[in-house]
Amino acid sequence: MVTGAGSRADPRILIIGAGHAGGSVAVLLRQQGHTGAIVLAGEEAVVPYQRPPLSKTYLKGDTTLDLLKLRPDRFYAEHDIGLRIPARAVAIDRAAKRVQFDSGEAEPYDVLILATGSRNRALTIPGADLPHVHSLRSAADAERLRLSMHPGGHLVIIGGGYIGLEVAASASAFGMKVTVIEREARVLARVASEPLSAFFTRYHRDHGVDIVTDAAVASVDAGGVHLADGRRFPCELVLVGVGAVPCDALAQAAGLDCAGGVLVDLEARTSDPAIFAIGDVTMRPLPLYENRRARLESVPNALEQAKQAVAAILGLPPPKPEVPWFWSDQFGAK
């Protein structure tokens, strides 16, 4: 149970970030019996939804945003969860226990949960800001990309991570020619073993996707993508998928301990006892791996940390540690 202002039986809980982590922790708090005020604030003008399908079924037009929502819109009013969307938090006043928003309004809290997620890493090359250069993080991003796709067109994907490969599979199924350009010697170099990288490289090439490795992108123009070695790939559409960085600026400005993300303990508690952080934004200990710290970008991690925070806030037994896992859908493989 939190101490100080949060020692009240039913503390006022403010959640910043209405993604999978933020939406899940709000639901879990009610399911576990919290009867105090809960306010959920997020920058998108939509209730929490699943992001993984954005690069898969949503991009292919096989599902809708309503079907991706974690809970229907009415759920939040029915369970007395206040929504502040869209709203961008700009400052945390830890002494007064208030969060300031870009509208000029503020919300008080007894317990604050940061679930601000991560943002796409930007390319700093000429042409990266051209209209036909896309990134994929939100439903709005996926909608813009889908509307730009057309059978017979050529999509160049910069970055051979999971998002890049998933979009490659979706676009190929849509009837587009796809080229994936990866800076490292193999796709998935940061996140997978060599055998898994080799499998996906063969799998994509068997489906007609061109995989180009050891390739540094120098610039993008209206006609295509240019590599540092002089090669050029003509295309009408570009997707940048070169990783993500934690959205921890709000936490840093508030003086919370951060190092490659917001530092938390096994209760998802930050260096301020009244503030928790969950999901992509955190640098967390992994108890099954000698408490080595890592930043995990996955739905299972968001759910595990949501459970940790809820248990700590409500004084419940902590959840058992979980083995980190995630999934990827590419063509017919999961």
Side-chain angles (χ1 to χ4, degrees):
M1 187 75 70
V2 291
T3 58
S7 63
R8 297 170 3 187
D10 295 303
R12 176 182 176 84
I13 300 176
L14 174 61
I15 305 164
I16 303 298
H20 214 120
S24 296
V25 78
V27 172
L28 285 170
L29 283 164
R30 284 289 184 246
Q31 288 178 341
Q32 294 300 320
H34 180 67
T35 58
I38 300 174
V39 177
L40 177 63
E43 295 188 13
E44 293 184 68
V46 61
V47 297
Y49 60 89
Q50 303 175 62
R51 294 187 189 275
L54 295 180
S55 57
K56 303 184 264 293
T57 53
Y58 186 83
L59 192 59
K60 292 187 291 185
D62 294 340
T63 191
T64 65
L65 183 57
D66 274 343
L67 292 176
L68 296 186
K69 291 176 180 177
L70 301 186
R71 295 289 190 279
D73 292 28
R74 66 179 183 278
F75 172 90
Y76 301 91
E78 290 173 353
H79 292 81
D80 197 22
I81 297 172
L83 291 176
R84 182 181 276 273
I85 54 173
R88 185 170 66 89
V90 295
I92 302 169
D93 185 337
R94 291 167 54 190
K97 290 193 171 181
R98 296 175 68 86
V99 173
Q100 191 78 25
F101 291 89
D102 57 356
S103 63
E105 299 174 299
E107 285 278 359
Y109 67 84
D110 297 308
V111 176
L112 176 63
I113 303 175
L114 299 178
T116 47
S118 56
R119 67 182 185 279
N120 292 334
R121 190 184 303 276
L123 271 186
T124 55
I125 59 172
D129 57 349
L130 289 171
H132 68 296
V133 179
H134 295 253
S135 61
L136 180 56
R137 193 73 190 171
S138 67
D141 293 336
E143 186 66 18
R144 284 191 292 269
L145 179 60
R146 184 170 62 181
L147 292 174
S148 300
M149 292 166 52
H150 59 89
H154 187 184
L155 167 66
V156 169
I157 298 172
I158 302 173
Y162 278 110
I163 292 295
L165 294 181
E166 288 170 357
V167 172
S170 298
S172 182
F174 196 77
M176 297 195 74
K177 178 182 178 182
V178 181
T179 299
V180 176
I181 298 175
E182 169 56 46
R183 180 186 62 183
E184 303 298 330
R186 59 186 176 92
V187 299
L188 305 174
R190 186 178 66 88
V191 293
S193 65
E194 289 188 17
L196 192 58
S197 294
F199 166 80
F200 276 117
T201 298
R202 290 193 305 269
Y203 194 59
H204 275 261
R205 285 173 175 165
D206 288 346
H207 284 82
V209 176
D210 187 17
I211 304 286
V212 181
T213 56
D214 282 315
V217 176
S219 65
V220 179
D221 61 25
V225 174
H226 299 261
L227 303 188
D229 62 11
R231 283 180 290 175
R232 177 177 177 270
F233 292 85
C235 64
E236 309 91 54
L237 194 59
V238 178
L239 174 75
V240 177
V242 293
V245 294
C247 294
D248 59 357
L250 189 67
Q252 288 192 43
L256 298 178
D257 291 347
C258 298
V262 182
L263 295 178
V264 296
D265 61 16
L266 290 175
E267 293 184 333
R269 198 188 301 265
T270 71
S271 53
D272 183 326
I275 302 178
F276 294 78
I278 60 176
D280 289 10
V281 74
T282 65
M283 181 65 76
R284 56 161 294 188
L286 300 174
L288 299 182
Y289 300 89
E290 300 177 339
N291 283 326
R292 185 175 77 237
R293 286 189 176 273
R295 194 171 69 82
L296 304 180
E297 301 169 14
S298 71
V299 168
N301 174 68
L303 294 176
E304 182 183 18
Q305 287 192 293
K307 294 173 186 176
Q308 291 174 347
V310 168
I313 292 167
L314 300 185
L316 303 173
K320 292 181 179 179
E322 297 180 8
V323 176
W325 70 279
F326 69 103
W327 73 95
S328 177
D329 292 315
Q330 300 176 40
F331 296 107
K334 179 185 276 292

